[in-house]
């Protein structure tokens, strides 16, 4: 297990979730070196004591545990395997933890390249959105070597409360696909229920009091339906990113010969919203489809 006093954490990607996650690591007493493409996004964590790295390469040179949460699989590939990436420039015995939702096959490729360099790689995508990131209550699903998972578990415990080792490299990403498939159809149900409540003349806030703690209860119903009612469509998780995740999940399902009609429907609805200019809205903006 890594000793805290010998650990320097690198953190790459300071978006809606990453910024809060890096801040929580600082509050837990870890030295943190950060890098993100737009330095202005790092300002708040730099003010809280984080150190700045000018590139992924510089982070790789300074840190012995590096966490990434970036946008797309192409970004993951560049951060890990590019000329200035973590694997070509990382030190022996570094731990790299990708928390981006990405493709299982890329997670396996990174693991294999890392192993050749004596670097420990884990795929550990998260669920819980901006609220879970801010409160340190993310669900974290981890693939890779079990002993590597156990070595970094104290760090993961700072970021989440439901942390489960899922198996070999790629297993974390496959588990995240299960998560996104469940969310995809669920968001249709939540949005339709709120639209129905309004059109039938009910007070949607009262409807939520009745249904959120019953059999219909879900995280989306409790946390996102109130935002729908308020007309708050600010992103805790971007529509453009849920489209990316669902596209990966649908491709994986098809490669296994599995039909996923609920997922396909949700993806088509979100794509329609994105085409209408909603790609940077939060996923709760699916409600607008019925407005």
């Amino acid at each position: 297990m890594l000793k805290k006093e010998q650990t320097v954490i690198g953190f790459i990607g300071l978006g809606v979730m990453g910024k809060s996650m890096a801040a929580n690591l600082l509050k837990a007493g870890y030295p943190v070196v950060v890098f993100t493409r737009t330095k202005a996004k790092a300002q708040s964590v730099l003010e809280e004591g984080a150190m700045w790295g000018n590139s992924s390469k510089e982070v790789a040179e300074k840190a012995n545990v590096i966490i990434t949460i970036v946008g797309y699989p192409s970004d993951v590939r560049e951060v890990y395997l590019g000329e200035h990436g973590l694997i070509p420039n990382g030190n022996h015995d570094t731990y790299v933890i990708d928390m981006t939702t990405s493709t299982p096959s890329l997670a396996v490729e990174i693991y294999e390249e890392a192993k050749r360099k004596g670097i420990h790689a884990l795929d550990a995508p998260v669920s819980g959105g901006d609220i879970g990131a801010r409160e340190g209550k993310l669900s974290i699903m981890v693939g890779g070597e079990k002993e590597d998972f156990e070595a970094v578990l104290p760090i993961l415990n700072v970021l989440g409360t439901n942390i489960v080792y899922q198996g070999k490299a790629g297993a974390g990403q496959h588990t995240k696909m299960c998560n996104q498939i469940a969310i995809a159809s669920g968001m249709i149900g939540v949005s339709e229920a709120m639209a129905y409540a309004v059109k039938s003349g009910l007070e949607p806030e009262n409807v939520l009091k009745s249904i959120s703690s019953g059999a219909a209860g879900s995280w989306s119903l409790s946390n996102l339906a109130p935002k729908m009612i308020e007309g708050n469509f600010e992103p805790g998780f971007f529509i453009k990113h849920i489209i990316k995740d669902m596209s990966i999940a649908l491709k994986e399902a098809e490669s296994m010969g599995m039909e996923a009609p609920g997922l396909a429907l949700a993806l088509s609805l979100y794509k329609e919203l994105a085409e209408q200019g909603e790609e940077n809205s939060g996923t709760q903006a699916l409600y607008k489809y019925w407005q």
Side-chain angles (χ1 to χ4, degrees):
M1 187 172 291
L2 288 163
K3 293 182 179 179
K4 185 173 182 179
E5 61 271 17
Q6 297 174 346
T7 299
V8 177
I9 297 177
F11 204 104
I12 297 175
L14 297 172
V16 173
M17 297 175 67
K19 189 181 298 184
S20 294
M21 294 162 72
N24 285 337
L25 291 166
L26 285 166
K27 290 172 188 172
Y30 287 100
V32 179
V33 183
V34 300
F35 171 69
T36 193
R37 284 180 294 192
T38 306
K39 189 174 180 180
K41 290 183 178 180
Q43 192 57 40
S44 63
V45 292
L46 292 174
E47 289 172 357
E48 291 177 43
M51 298 170 281
W52 175 251
N54 286 305
S55 63
S56 298
K57 180 179 178 180
E58 190 168 319
V59 173
E61 291 168 349
K62 292 182 175 180
N64 58 352
V65 176
I66 304 170
I67 296 169
T68 57
I69 182 163
V70 293
Y72 296 87
S74 58
D75 299 315
V76 174
R77 178 173 291 280
E78 179 64 25
V79 166
Y80 279 88
L81 302 175
E83 180 183 352
H84 301 289
L86 300 179
I87 304 304
N89 298 288
N91 297 311
H92 188 269
D93 266 345
T94 295
Y95 290 79
V96 293
I97 309 166
D98 184 31
M99 295 186 141
T100 315
T101 299
S102 183
T103 60
S105 59
L106 180 55
V108 172
E109 184 180 349
I110 289 169
Y111 166 81
E112 291 174 346
E113 288 296 322
K115 191 172 183 179
R116 278 192 274 273
K117 286 289 300 286
I119 293 171
H120 312 275
L122 295 166
D123 51 288
V126 299
S127 180
D130 59 330
I131 297 170
R134 189 166 56 248
E135 296 179 353
K137 295 180 179 179
L138 292 168
S139 290
I140 306 175
M141 35 215 106
V142 188
E145 298 288 347
K146 182 72 177 290
E147 61 187 39
D148 294 343
F149 165 73
E150 291 171 348
V152 301
L153 187 55
I155 294 170
L156 299 181
N157 280 329
V158 174
L159 305 174
T161 52
N162 179 28
I163 303 162
V164 182
Y165 174 72
Q166 294 291 343
K168 64 184 181 180
Q173 295 295 354
H174 275 303
T175 305
K176 184 62 186 287
M177 293 303 105
C178 296
N179 185 83
Q180 301 307 72
I181 291 168
I183 286 174
S185 296
M187 282 296 290
I188 295 175
V190 170
S191 300
E192 281 186 339
M194 292 301 97
Y196 183 96
V198 171
K199 289 194 178 292
S200 63
L202 296 169
E203 291 291 338
E205 294 86 353
N206 285 338
V207 172
L208 275 180
K209 289 178 185 177
S210 290
I211 70 173
S212 59
S213 60
S218 69
W219 189 95
S220 295
L221 191 66
S222 297
N223 291 280
L224 298 181
K227 291 185 177 183
M228 294 175 185
I229 295 167
E230 294 165 9
N232 175 3
F233 302 111
E234 289 299 308
F237 191 68
F238 289 109
I239 281 179
K240 63 186 179 184
H241 288 164
I242 195 70
I243 288 173
K244 176 261 295 184
D245 294 358
M246 290 189 292
S247 298
I248 293 170
L250 192 60
K251 185 177 179 180
E252 292 291 334
E254 289 171 349
S255 73
M256 296 184 287
M258 173 188 161
E259 291 187 12
L263 175 63
L265 174 59
L267 178 57
S268 69
L269 297 181
Y270 272 115
K271 282 184 172 178
E272 187 172 331
L273 283 172
E275 289 167 3
Q276 295 170 10
E278 297 287 347
E279 67 273 13
N280 289 312
S281 296
T283 53
Q284 71 274 18
L286 183 62
Y287 179 64
K288 290 187 176 185
Y289 181 85
W290 286 271
Q291 287 185 308

